[in-house]
């Protein structure tokens, strides 16, 4: 870890500038436009400010338990997906870390493979497994464990499975990066001081993998809460998730100000939740995060 | 291999390797636009699947050959294309929009299509007038499909004859109908209303009927291909679907059939709209004229099992016995539907799929 090179402050800013400009232009600009739309009177595709700004869209969204229900359900599902991705991804990263270099690259590629396939193809693949006439149901029926097929497809469960499947590699790669920075003999030193393997993992490896875990979890949470294709293809019918609802407002109902308001509310709540979690994590693991 | 700079780790990229790799990547990304032919290109849209194959074969490819032009087809959904055209009105990305109900009516309401006269599109005079008048002359219909009932013949339940058969308890959990915002959604709701004494102006009976149908529903599907998949795999055994989408499955050897329910089938139509600000106005007019010509219409409709809009076009077997006659199909009032759509969608989200 060579922090010997002291990069000057102005050089640091110069290095950041291109990325910041791209984000400001390509992300910030459209977001500002979206924000302005949310203050326009609803019911059309034009932002008509001739009568001034209005809060009617926000009142409509925040005052409506139906809309709020959709937003919070989406966030709750994203939390579940994040937890599932961590539960499956962390052990995978640990095993990859311990693997001999010969197999490591191949296995990493295998874990990242889902990302190489287009989303609809992946989702239809899940239909072959989870569908009423799919693999799991056929097996369970043949074994006589169930009398009628289990309804797994087009449920919240299917969405969680589909999203975890595709987002888990982010956790694996992120945690692996953190684990790779742990000096190899640290855990063994702990064992020589009397800890057993599990204690060494609990007290040494897990805390040191926290930066990677938090980065991966953040990514999973953000992508899951704004996900459209997987909930639309694998989830229950109708606008049950935020991204599907927003899409519907823009493309089916043609009420762009209302859609913009839902998008902004989702963005603010997600950002708020993230700041809370990352803020508290920062305090707990400050010494570890700083040293990277 | 040249000497690696000292101190560099085994895996780091040397400057030379980066320059070579970077230059190669840049060239390979920049090359395709340079290699494109310099013929005139117009952009149109299409639904994927067997529809697309027939469209390319009978409309796009012959047109490209005759006019030494290129027609690029974008994929997506009608609503996305209308949204695109609304945003890019001054500088359209799509020159000829290919739209289905209700988006074609939305496009008419927003005046996204050029008014088409017989001078622009000579074949207009050969169309059944409804396919020009119903769009306030801003578009022409290409072909009509019929909205009826698709069912599996191996389900053990006797073949359906009426829309009300969907409510049968034998079909519990195995019925599929579209989500309101998907293709066929509004047709289903309006049909349910009409069957129970309602109409486009009084949709209440439609909602009541859908609530009663809800326990029978496996899924409110999002697209025709998805519906086909669900019936093909046996997740559903009966549903409201278009005829041409079903015939494709039947001809593929599946035990699936389509019927016109005794109360009637509703119309589905795709139409062609020309963006007024397109840079290739003459070519677009020629394209639309060719698409609705007798030869293109016949070839296309015979392959997809759809009804032709050109009076002179004749169908052959098997299409001729499968496609319902124009006079027998129910035409809902799409302008009323589009006006009520936002309210109905809100209600649907809460009461039917909520």
């Amino acid at each position: 870890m060579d922090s010997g090179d002291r990069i000057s402050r102005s050089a640091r800013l110069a290095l950041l500038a291109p990325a910041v400009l791209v984000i400001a232009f390509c992300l910030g600009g459209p977001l500002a436009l979206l924000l302005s739309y949310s203050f326009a009177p609803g019911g059309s595709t034009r932002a008509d400010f001739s009568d001034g700004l209005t809060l009617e869209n926000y009142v409509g969204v925040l005052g409506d338990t139906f809309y709020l229900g959709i937003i919070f359900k989406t966030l709750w599902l994203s939390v579940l997906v994040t937890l599932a991705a961590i539960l499956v991804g962390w052990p995978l990263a640990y095993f990859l870390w311990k693997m001999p270099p010969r197999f490591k690259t191949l296995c990493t590629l295998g874990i990242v493979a889902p990302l190489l396939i287009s989303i609809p193809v992946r989702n239809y693949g899940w239909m072959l497994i989870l569908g009423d006439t799919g693999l799991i149901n056929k097996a369970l029926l043949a074994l006589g464990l169930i009398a009628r097929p289990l309804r797994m497809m087009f449920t919240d469960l299917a969405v969680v499975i589909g999203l975890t499947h595709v987002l888990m590699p982010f956790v694996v790669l992120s945690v692996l990066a953190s684990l790779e920075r742990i000096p190899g003999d640290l855990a063994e030193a702990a064992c020589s001081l009397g800890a057993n393997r599990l204690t060494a993992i609990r007290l040494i490896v897990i805390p040191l993998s926290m930066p990677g875990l938090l980065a991966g979890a953040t990514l999973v949470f953000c992508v899951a809460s704004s996900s459209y294709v997987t909930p639309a293809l694998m989830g229950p019918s109708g606008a049950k998730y935020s991204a599907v609802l927003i899409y519907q407002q823009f493309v089916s109902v043609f009420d762009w100000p209302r859609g913009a308001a839902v998008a902004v509310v989702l963005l603010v709540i997600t950002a708020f939740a993230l700041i809370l979690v990352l803020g508290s994590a920062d305090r707990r693991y400050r010494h570890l995060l700083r040293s990277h | 291999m040249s000497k690696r700079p000292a101190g560099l780790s085994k895996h780091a990229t040397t400057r030379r390797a980066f320059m070579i790799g970077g230059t190669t990547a840049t060239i390979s990304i920049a090359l395709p636009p340079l290699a494109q032919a310099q013929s005139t290109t117009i952009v149109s849209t299409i639904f994927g699947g067997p529809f697309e194959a027939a469209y390319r074969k009978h409309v796009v490819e012959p047109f490209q050959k005759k006019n030494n032009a290129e027609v690029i087809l974008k994929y997506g959904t009608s609503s996305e294309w209308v949204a695109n055209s609304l945003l890019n009105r001054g500088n359209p990305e799509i020159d000829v929009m290919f739209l289905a109900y209700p988006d074609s009516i939305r496009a008419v309401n927003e005046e996204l299509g050029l008014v088409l006269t017989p001078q622009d599109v000579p074949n207009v005079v050969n169309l059944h007038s409804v396919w020009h008048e119903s769009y306030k002359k801003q578009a022409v219909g290409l072909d009509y499909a019929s909205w009826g009932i698709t069912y599996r013949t191996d389900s053990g339940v006797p073949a359906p004859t009426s829309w009300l058969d969907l409510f049968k308890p034998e079909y519990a959990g195995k019925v599929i109908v579209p989500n309101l915002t998907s293709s066929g959604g509004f047709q289903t709701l309006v049909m349910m209303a009409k069957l129970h004494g309602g109409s486009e102006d009084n949709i209440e009976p439609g909602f009541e009927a859908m609530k009663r149908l809800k326990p029978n529903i496996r899924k409110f599907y999002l697209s025709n291909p998805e519906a086909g998949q669900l019936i093909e795999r046996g997740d559903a055994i009966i549903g409201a679907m278009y005829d041409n989408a079903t015939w494709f499955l039947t001809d593929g050897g599946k035990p699936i059939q389509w019927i016109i329910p005794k109360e009637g089938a509703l119309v589905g139509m795709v139409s062609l709209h020309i963006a007024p600000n397109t840079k290739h106005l003459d070519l677009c007019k020629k394209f639309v004229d060719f698409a609705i010509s007798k030869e293109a219409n016949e070839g296309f409709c015979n392959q997809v099992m759809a009804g032709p809009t050109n009076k002179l076009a004749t169908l052959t077997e098997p299409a001729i016995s499968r496609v319902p006659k124009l006079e027998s199909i129910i035409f809902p009032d799409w302008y009323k539907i589009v006006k009520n759509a936002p309210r109905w969608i809100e209600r649907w989200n809460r009461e039917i799929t909520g």
Side-chain angles (χ1 to χ4, degrees):
Chain A
M1 221 172 325
D2 44 356
S3 47
D5 276 351
R6 294 264 183 271
I7 315 177
S8 73
R9 192 147 186 271
S10 50
R12 246 192 277 240
L13 286 173
L15 285 170
L16 271 177
V20 170
L21 278 174
V22 169
I23 293 178
F25 193 63
C26 299
L27 182 65
L31 271 180
L33 198 62
L34 197 72
L35 191 67
S36 75
Y37 258 84
S38 67
F39 291 111
S44 81
T45 59
R46 302 191 219 314
D48 183 10
F49 293 110
S50 53
D51 289 324
L53 302 174
T54 168
L55 285 175
E56 69 181 42
N57 298 307
Y58 286 103
V59 170
V61 173
L62 293 170
D64 191 339
T65 50
F66 180 69
Y67 279 102
L68 286 177
I70 293 178
I71 293 177
F72 282 108
K73 179 172 177 184
T74 309
L75 292 172
W76 170 237
L77 238 62
S78 311
V79 168
L80 289 177
V81 170
T82 311
L83 288 174
I86 293 175
L87 275 169
V88 177
W90 198 97
L92 262 175
Y94 183 82
F95 285 122
L96 270 182
W97 179 45
K98 291 292 182 189
M99 211 172 260
R102 260 176 305 156
F103 301 120
K104 200 184 267 194
T105 323
L106 212 62
C107 287
T108 315
L109 261 173
I111 289 180
V112 175
L115 291 169
L116 298 171
I117 308 174
S118 81
I119 302 182
V121 172
R122 255 196 316 258
N123 288 323
Y124 289 134
W126 277 113
M127 217 179 138
L128 289 173
I129 299 177
L130 298 175
D132 294 352
T133 51
L135 220 63
I136 294 184
N137 272 317
K138 277 213 178 97
L140 290 176
L141 281 167
L143 289 171
L145 290 167
I146 51 172
R148 272 178 333 181
L150 292 173
R151 283 286 152 86
M152 288 180 289
M153 205 56 198
F154 312 126
T155 59
D156 294 333
L157 174 68
V159 175
V160 172
I161 292 177
L163 283 174
T164 308
H165 172 228
V166 82
L167 296 175
M168 183 260 302
F170 289 121
V171 171
V172 172
L173 292 176
S174 208
V175 170
L176 188 60
S178 257
L179 290 175
E180 297 278 354
R181 301 178 104 129
I182 300 177
D185 40 16
L186 210 56
E188 285 182 25
C191 291
S192 75
L193 286 170
N196 64 19
R197 160 75 37 110
L198 276 174
T199 316
I201 292 180
R202 186 167 60 89
L203 289 177
I204 311 279
V205 183
I206 291 185
L208 284 176
S209 69
M210 269 320 221
L213 189 65
L214 285 172
T218 306
L219 204 57
V220 171
F221 180 72
C222 289
V223 176
S225 62
S226 60
S227 179
Y228 170 74
V229 183
T230 303
L233 288 181
M234 289 178 74
S237 321
K240 293 288 194 41
Y241 300 93
S242 305
V244 181
L245 177 69
I246 295 169
Y247 176 86
Q248 196 194 67
Q249 294 296 309
F250 273 92
V251 169
S252 302
V253 180
F254 286 92
D255 187 346
W256 292 5
R258 170 67 66 95
V262 180
V264 170
V265 170
L266 179 69
L267 179 65
V268 168
I269 297 183
T270 313
F272 192 63
L274 270 178
I275 291 173
L276 269 179
V277 170
L278 289 178
S280 70
D282 187 54
R283 261 173 281 123
R284 276 188 90 193
Y285 297 100
R286 177 159 298 168
H287 58 291
L288 292 166
L289 290 170
R290 286 288 180 268
S291 66
H292 287 256
Chain B
M1 195 158 79
S2 63
K3 208 154 77 83
R4 290 177 72 88
L8 210 52
S9 99
K10 202 159 65 99
H11 299 286
T13 322
T14 60
R15 193 190 311 163
R16 168 186 286 236
F18 178 75
M19 291 300 288
I20 294 175
T23 318
T24 318
T26 314
I27 291 178
S28 56
I29 293 171
L31 209 48
L34 298 170
Q36 235 172 35
Q38 289 304 310
S39 62
T40 335
T41 313
I42 56 173
V43 178
S44 186
T45 55
I46 188 73
F47 308 131
F51 209 84
E52 179 196 354
Y55 192 66
R56 281 190 193 274
K57 182 169 170 204
H58 294 283
V59 180
V60 174
E61 275 156 30
F63 177 78
Q64 285 182 150
K65 271 207 214 63
K66 267 195 197 152
N67 292 279
N68 191 28
E70 200 192 345
V71 179
I72 296 181
L73 296 177
K74 282 169 77 81
Y75 298 107
T77 63
S78 284
S79 355
E80 285 168 10
W81 300 324
V82 171
N84 184 326
S85 301
L86 279 170
L87 281 171
N88 295 315
R89 205 188 272 263
N91 183 15
E93 199 185 342
I94 302 173
D95 299 303
V96 179
M97 281 190 290
F98 166 103
L99 300 175
Y101 288 136
D103 305 291
S104 42
I105 303 300
R106 283 210 178 92
V108 169
N109 285 342
E110 296 277 350
E111 290 173 8
L112 289 172
L114 192 66
V115 171
L116 300 171
T117 63
Q119 276 124 305
D120 299 319
V121 183
N123 269 313
V124 152
V125 301
N126 291 325
L127 292 183
H128 293 284
S129 60
V130 66
W131 301 126
H132 189 220
E133 304 289 327
S134 62
Y135 295 110
K136 302 189 178 164
K137 305 203 178 165
Q138 291 177 30
V140 286
L142 181 66
D143 73 287
Y144 66 87
S146 310
W147 185 252
I149 293 186
T150 302
Y151 65 100
R152 284 187 75 99
T153 49
D154 59 355
S155 64
V157 187
T161 53
S162 151
W163 283 107
L164 299 172
D165 287 339
L166 292 173
F167 291 83
K168 274 189 180 165
E170 295 94 302
Y171 292 123
K174 294 257 179 198
V175 179
I176 50 169
V177 294
N179 196 27
L180 190 62
T181 52
S182 308
S183 168
F186 289 106
Q187 277 102 319
T188 313
L189 183 64
V190 169
M191 193 69 220
M192 286 295 156
K194 286 186 198 272
L195 286 172
H196 296 90
S199 69
E200 295 88 333
D201 293 309
N202 172 23
I203 202 67
E204 189 60 40
F207 273 100
E208 292 304 314
M210 288 310 301
K211 278 192 214 146
R212 277 188 297 117
L213 186 60
K214 202 171 155 186
N216 269 20
I217 302 280
R218 176 68 183 96
K219 188 182 197 229
F220 291 98
Y221 64 82
L222 294 175
S223 68
N224 289 317
E226 185 187 349
Q229 262 219 339
L230 288 167
I231 289 227
E232 202 187 343
R233 296 183 49 76
D235 283 39
I237 55 181
I238 187 172
M241 276 176 71
Y242 278 115
D243 56 349
N244 48 15
T246 313
W247 295 130
F248 177 67
L249 293 166
T250 315
D251 293 338
K254 311 281 179 219
I256 298 172
Q257 284 292 324
W258 185 82
I259 54 131
I260 306 176
K262 61 176 192 255
E263 300 91 348
L266 291 102
V267 75
M269 161 62 53
V270 284
S271 49
L272 294 170
H273 308 238
I274 299 181
N277 292 320
T278 170
K279 294 191 180 64
H280 308 288
L281 198 53
D282 283 325
L283 198 60
C284 290
K285 289 181 186 171
K286 285 209 191 103
F287 180 71
V288 172
D289 191 54
F290 180 72
I292 58 173
S293 66
K294 177 176 184 301
E295 57 169 297
N297 221 222
E298 266 180 5
F300 175 67
C301 292
N302 270 316
Q303 190 167 334
V304 289
M305 315 283 167
T309 49
N310 192 321
K311 281 186 285 210
L312 305 171
T314 48
L315 291 175
T316 54
E317 289 296 339
I320 195 168
S321 49
R322 283 174 166 177
V323 174
K325 295 275 173 297
L326 190 57
E327 303 77 58
S328 68
I329 308 187
I330 302 176
F331 277 73
D333 186 336
W334 283 103
Y335 288 95
K336 283 196 185 143
I337 294 178
V338 169
K339 199 157 65 88
N340 290 319
R343 262 189 316 281
W344 291 357
I345 293 175
E346 274 293 300
R347 225 184 129 174
W348 181 277
N349 280 341
R350 284 159 214 266
E351 295 179 27
I352 309 294
T353 56

